[in-house]
Amino acid sequence: MAAVQTVIEPGETASVLTFDHGKRLFIIGCTGLSPALFHPDGFQPHPQVKKLLQAGEGIKKYQ
């Protein structure tokens, strides 16, 4: 993780979004790649993603 620390600023956030067939937008919570991004020495979840993680939700669809 030390190599990642050289390019990630403290408190920097990341999110995983999926645009399905050009029609539906999903934000990914605790499914797939998202959990691998979040680490005390790495990225922090965006506040809205953090809510999904705390609720144990894997995915949320946006209209």
Side-chain angles (χ1 to χ4, degrees), residues 2-3 7 9-11 14-15 21-22 29 31 33 36 41 43 45 56 61 63:
V7 294
E9 297 293 326
S15 301
H21 301 291
T31 301
L33 175 65
D41 295 327
F43 289 108
K61 179 182 173 186
Q63 303 290 354

Side-chain angles (χ1 to χ4, degrees), residues 5-63:
Q5 288 175 320
T6 62
V7 294
I8 298 174
E9 297 293 326
E12 194 166 348
T13 64
S15 301
V16 176
L17 304 171
T18 300
F19 196 50
D20 182 46
H21 301 291
K23 296 181 181 180
R24 301 180 299 173
L25 179 64
F26 295 91
I27 188 161
I28 311 301
C30 57
T31 301
L33 175 65
S34 290
L37 290 174
F38 310 132
H39 185 277
D41 295 327
F43 289 108
Q44 298 302 305
H46 182 276
Q48 293 296 331
V49 176
K50 192 171 188 175
K51 290 178 185 177
L52 291 176
L53 295 170
Q54 290 170 337
E57 294 184 45
I59 192 167
K60 181 170 181 159
K61 179 182 173 186
Y62 284 91
Q63 303 290 354

